[in-house]
Amino acid sequence: MAVATHAVATAPHPHPVDVRPPLRRLVPLSLQHLLVAYAGMATMPLLVGSALQLPEDRIRLLISANLLVSGLATLLQSLGLKWFGARLPIVMGSTFTAITPAVLIGKEHGLAAVFGATIVSGLVTVAIAPWFGRWLHLFPPLVTGTVIAVIGFSLVPSAAGLVAGGDDSGGGRGLALAAVTVLLVVLVERLAPPALARFAVLVALAAGTVLAVPLGLFDGSQVADARVVTVPDPTAFGAPTFLVPAIAAMLVVQLVNMVESVGDTLAVGQIVERGDDAPTVVRALRADGAATVVSGALASFPIVTFGQSVGLVSVTRVRSRQVVALSGALMVVLAFVPVLGAAVAAVPGPVLGGVSLVMFGTVGAVGLRILSRADLTDSRNLLTVALAFALGMIPVGAPDFYAPLPAAARTVLDSGIAVTGIVAFALNLLFHHTPHRLPPLLSRRTKGAAR
């Protein structure tokens, strides 16, 4: 008697981006993202608050608000909500590009004007995100690779500042500790089993912090002095105000942020082998815009993708967006529990700087890898990269180069990332998306002059 057989359809394996690691790996992997990103999230509001000479309690409120919004934005970007979020392992946070305009606006009109301009720039981002998706062909590897490379390499001096700056750097001891931290990342990556190599950054951070104690480079006093629980208070700075000059300056910043987000999203998409397409970019930009609107309403600054996440995903090869989502949830917790934030901030500058050198260098290397897909034997492409790199690195090496120019011009030119994006985009447009021949009228005039 024949026995009927039925084919059993096997369920397709989920993409690594959608896999949730076991809890014993999920938590430490999320802590890696949090520790690497925390310094940037705290630094931006700290610099703005210090430049505006705000009292310490107001600066702490800015940092708490920034952590809260960054955590919510990271959750939205990684998990997604209908038309919002790339659903990729991307950490979100405030952008250094906004520091100069925020300080200038704050000095002239107050922080309420900064927050109002932030809200408007976020709304504009959500509105024009679909158009950026349609223009994605104008951001080939020639443009995105150059921008990502400059993002990484231009941040290296800030990592060096963490190593050498401040009273707690310890001089030669700080340099030695940073070198040991970098060496630990390399050795764990090279010698440890694959399961442990994924935690190379976390191992280096923990070991470096322990080594800092006998060197006298660890200061835990902030942990003891921090309040256990607090609540961010956006009303402390007054209701947002909407002034045209402030909005115009912040819109310029947000356009630069959108170019940066496009590059970061495409880079992460290529690393995890999913999401390097127009629909994902549009959802990512909508999430950027929505997060920026909420950020302005909660007394914080424009939110953008964090380049550090690109480097960390590339180094650890952990592609799960669930890992990043948990790090976002931890940021939200830190916003309400300052004592935990103080514990994270207690990681010595040389240790964090050493890890940041690896992360920022990796971001630059990822940009070069993307750039290698462009045809650099074409002299036009080579000229595009050369000028974008050269002009983009001027603000890094000579921060006061554009000091004689008006404040409106410096809003853009003082950002090497902004200059790189504008130059690479414009030259690619000129060389590859405009007619090669002269317009007929100009051609006739040229021939007439020749006669």
Side-chain angles (χ1 to χ4, degrees), residues 355-390:
V355 168
S356 296
L357 283 171
V358 177
M359 293 299 98
F360 295 148
T362 303
V363 174
V366 168
L368 294 180
R369 185 174 68 186
I370 295 173
L371 186 57
S372 68
R373 301 177 185 177
D375 181 12
L376 295 183
T377 61
D378 187 328
S379 60
R380 298 169 300 175
N381 291 347
L382 197 62
L383 180 60
T384 298
V385 176
L387 285 176
F389 261 95

Side-chain angles (χ1 to χ4, degrees), residues 24-423:
R24 66 180 184 277
R25 292 178 51 210
L26 179 64
V27 173
L29 288 172
S30 299
L31 283 174
Q32 281 192 138
H33 279 282
L34 175 64
L35 291 169
V36 168
Y38 182 87
M41 294 175 185
T43 299
M44 199 279 183
L46 178 62
L47 291 177
V48 173
S50 300
L52 297 178
Q53 298 181 341
L54 297 179
E56 188 175 340
D57 62 328
R58 290 294 184 266
I59 294 177
R60 285 199 297 266
L61 285 177
L62 288 178
I63 294 175
S64 293
N66 188 261
L67 281 170
L68 175 59
V69 176
S70 298
L72 294 174
T74 300
L75 285 166
L76 178 61
Q77 194 71 275
S78 56
L79 298 181
L81 182 64
K82 205 166 185 179
W83 299 296
F84 294 84
R87 299 177 180 89
L88 292 175
I90 296 175
V91 174
M92 305 287 287
S94 56
T95 168
F96 284 11
T97 311
I99 291 177
T100 300
V103 171
L104 294 174
I105 295 169
K107 286 182 176 179
E108 187 169 354
H109 305 290
L111 275 176
V114 176
F115 303 142
T118 298
I119 292 172
V120 174
S121 67
L123 292 172
V124 171
T125 302
V126 175
I128 68 175
W131 279 269
F132 259 75
R134 295 173 190 171
W135 300 335
L136 201 58
H137 65 284
L138 300 179
F139 295 90
L142 178 68
V143 176
T144 57
T146 303
V147 171
I148 293 295
V150 170
I151 288 173
F153 295 138
S154 66
L155 290 174
V156 167
S158 66
L162 287 171
V163 175
D167 297 331
D168 60 346
S169 62
R173 290 173 296 157
L175 292 175
L177 183 57
V180 170
T181 303
V182 172
L183 183 62
L184 283 170
V185 174
V186 174
L187 291 178
V188 173
E189 174 68 24
R190 175 64 181 87
L191 302 176
L196 181 59
R198 299 176 187 273
F199 302 98
V201 173
L202 186 60
V203 170
L205 285 167
T209 301
V210 171
L211 290 173
V213 175
L215 293 174
L217 298 178
F218 179 81
D219 180 13
S221 60
Q222 292 184 359
V223 180
D225 297 337
R227 297 172 60 184
V228 177
V229 178
T230 189
V231 178
D233 183 12
T235 63
F237 304 95
T241 58
F242 302 93
L243 302 176
V244 173
I247 292 171
M250 204 58 75
L251 283 176
V252 173
V253 170
Q254 195 64 8
L255 285 173
V256 174
N257 293 341
M258 292 180 75
V259 174
E260 183 177 345
S261 287
V262 168
D264 284 339
T265 303
L266 291 175
V268 172
Q270 290 166 9
I271 292 170
V272 304
E273 299 177 345
R274 191 181 85 175
D276 55 336
D277 51 30
T280 302
V281 168
V282 171
R283 292 198 306 271
L285 290 174
R286 286 199 186 109
D288 283 7
T292 298
V293 172
V294 174
S295 186
L298 294 180
S300 195
F301 307 98
I303 298 295
V304 71
T305 55
F306 251 34
Q308 292 95 316
S309 66
V310 180
L312 193 55
V313 171
S314 182
V315 168
T316 63
R317 300 178 298 280
V318 176
R319 294 184 277 179
S320 172
R321 59 194 175 104
Q322 307 294 334
V323 169
V324 170
L326 180 56
S327 71
L330 293 174
M331 292 174 209
V332 174
V333 173
L334 291 181
F336 292 93
V337 187
V339 68
L340 295 179
V344 174
V347 175
V351 175
L352 196 57
V355 168
S356 296
L357 283 171
V358 177
M359 293 299 98
F360 295 148
T362 303
V363 174
V366 168
L368 294 180
R369 185 174 68 186
I370 295 173
L371 186 57
S372 68
R373 301 177 185 177
D375 181 12
L376 295 183
T377 61
D378 187 328
S379 60
R380 298 169 300 175
N381 291 347
L382 197 62
L383 180 60
T384 298
V385 176
L387 285 176
F389 261 95
L391 297 176
M393 296 305 288
I394 286 177
V396 179
D400 298 326
F401 187 82
Y402 297 110
L405 299 181
R410 296 204 317 271
T411 299
V412 178
L413 296 176
D414 279 346
S415 169
I417 298 170
V419 173
T420 299
I422 292 170
V423 172

Side-chain angles (χ1 to χ4, degrees), residues 430-447:
L430 174 66
F431 289 141
H432 299 292
H433 297 276
T434 56
H436 292 289
R437 296 181 180 179
L438 293 172
L441 180 61
L442 182 59
S443 298
R444 285 197 295 268
R445 286 179 178 177
T446 305
K447 290 179 181 178

